[in-house]
Amino acid sequence: MATLCSGDTFSQRTGMDFTLTKYGELIDAIKAAGYQFMTFEQYLDSAKLLEDKKIVILRHDVDKRARNSKATAELETERGAVASYYFRVVKQSFQPSVIHTIATMGHEIGYHYEDMSLCHGDVDAAMRHFIKWLDYFRNMYPVRTICMHGAPQSRYDSRDLWRSRPDGQKAYNYHDYGIIGEPYFDIDFGTFLYLTDTGRCWDGYKVSVRDKIPEHQDEWIRRGWSFHTTDDVIRALRGESQGEPLPDKIMFTTHPQRWSNNMPEWITEYLLQSVKNVVKRILIATR
Ligand SMILES: [Zn+2]
């Protein structure tokens, strides 16, 4: 294994992906390609004025190891980028000091909700849980956007809170609670390309249970917008890939827990995700 002595050459020395260094290279490539960074709420506030602008929304789903998100937030701030950070209510994600620090850097904070899974599919209990936790978050940040946690091991899809109900009751509407957007409902993926590191690669739609946009995936593949490594994405941003030029609007979703320059942490994430991908393939095959 190569000697790891300099942070800024870590990825190059080792050829390792999903390091903080590699994440910095990705942010630099997005900037160099002429994209402007906006948080999800900033974008929704002025979407009509941005139709011919190149916009990237950096979305972070903080599933666990919340402190890692401080590192990505600092890296973004150093590079003049803003991002949207979504935190869960479980203790490995909901860490008020981390949330507060990231908010003071100018990033957006949102609720990574999974109330349907936590309340075992009881829609009304899940809605009460949602309102209670939204209030907690709003003690730290005036939360205006939310984003579903995929919870692949759960049989419940938390987006069902907002969908028509089998019992005939009217579905809940997050707009009634001061929420202006949920990416899966309020982003036009006919305009936005969606790239996510789910599965610890950029073509994880093959193993993802819920974090994917199946309606558009075939079209994106046809255009050559399916990537495996972060270097593949960077090459496309530089116009060095075989595919069509990337569109003017992209949402990147990353999970900060897996972007680390800490070797034991990096190896743990690598091994765990390899096992999880096998399990997810089985889950998808048996649904
Ligand atoms: Zn999540």
Side-chain angles (χ1 to χ4, degrees):
M1 193 175 289
T3 310
L4 305 174
C5 52
S6 169
D8 60 1
T9 56
F10 185 90
S11 298
Q12 292 96 323
R13 279 167 184 261
T14 59
M16 288 162 71
D17 203 349
F18 299 99
T19 58
L20 272 177
T21 310
K22 189 58 75 182
Y23 185 64
E25 290 172 27
L26 175 63
I27 299 297
D28 290 341
I30 294 170
K31 264 173 84 169
Y35 289 92
Q36 183 186 342
F37 295 99
M38 296 191 94
T39 65
F40 186 33
E41 67 175 328
Q42 285 171 343
Y43 174 75
L44 290 175
D45 279 340
S46 44
K48 288 215 164 45
L49 305 171
L50 300 167
E51 275 169 12
D52 52 359
K53 297 270 193 306
K54 294 181 79 169
I55 304 293
V56 155
I57 299 172
L58 298 171
R59 175 183 130 200
H60 297 291
D61 291 358
V62 184
D63 285 356
K64 56 183 177 178
R65 283 205 287 278
R67 67 187 153 75
N68 281 34
S69 55
K70 258 168 72 175
T72 52
E74 279 163 8
L75 186 150
E76 288 155 352
T77 301
E78 283 163 11
R79 286 165 165 80
V82 286
S84 299
Y85 282 81
Y86 293 90
F87 289 86
R88 299 167 66 197
V89 300
V90 295
K91 71 171 186 299
Q92 61 266 36
S93 176
F94 187 80
Q95 293 187 14
S97 68
V98 172
I99 295 172
H100 178 74
T101 304
I102 292 175
T104 55
M105 288 184 214
H107 301 294
E108 179 189 6
I109 304 297
Y111 179 18
H112 198 33
Y113 67 100
E114 54 187 313
D115 309 274
M116 283 288 278
S117 326
L118 296 174
C119 296
H120 311 290
D122 180 333
V123 181
D124 297 316
M127 194 60 213
R128 288 193 295 275
H129 191 269
F130 176 88
I131 293 166
K132 184 179 99 174
W133 277 94
L134 188 60
D135 280 348
Y136 276 128
F137 276 101
R138 283 177 169 162
N139 290 326
M140 290 173 281
Y141 185 90
V143 171
R144 294 169 72 218
T145 73
I146 55 172
C147 175
M148 168 226 34
H149 172 58
Q153 76 289 353
S154 171
R155 50 193 278 244
Y156 301 107
D157 185 329
S158 282
R159 290 170 294 191
D160 286 346
L161 266 181
W162 324 119
R163 290 173 172 147
S164 55
R165 297 170 55 166
D167 61 6
Q169 292 265 17
K170 196 167 163 283
Y172 290 106
N173 184 339
Y174 47 76
H175 292 109
D176 295 340
Y177 302 89
I179 296 299
I180 61 168
E182 208 288 10
Y184 295 99
F185 295 103
D186 297 298
I187 288 275
D188 173 8
F189 289 107
T191 306
F192 267 82
L193 169 64
Y194 184 65
L195 294 174
T196 172
D197 72 353
T198 284
R200 206 180 173 285
C201 52
W202 291 97
D203 50 2
Y205 51 84
K206 296 168 188 165
V207 293
S208 179
V209 177
R210 296 196 177 95
D211 182 18
K212 56 187 174 184
I213 315 293
E215 303 86 347
H216 295 278
Q217 195 60 57
D218 288 347
E219 173 68 8
W220 293 336
I221 293 168
R222 196 186 62 74
R223 289 171 179 254
W225 298 340
S226 174
F227 311 105
H228 188 61
T229 67
T230 307
D231 280 336
D232 293 339
V233 180
I234 290 172
R235 271 191 287 277
L237 286 162
R238 290 177 180 157
E240 296 168 359
S241 71
Q242 300 291 322
E244 291 183 24
L246 291 174
D248 284 352
K249 307 272 187 307
I250 310 175
M251 172 176 270
F252 283 88
T253 293
T254 65
H255 297 77
Q257 81 241 14
R258 67 173 49 112
W259 296 82
S260 176
N261 276 359
N262 175 300
M263 185 65 88
E265 204 171 85
W266 187 95
I267 291 170
T268 304
E269 179 67 22
Y270 173 78
L271 295 174
L272 270 178
Q273 192 62 52
S274 302
V275 174
K276 272 163 75 178
N277 284 355
V278 173
V279 175
K280 283 181 177 182
R281 279 183 202 278
I282 295 167
L283 277 173
I284 291 169
T286 54
R287 268 174 198 219

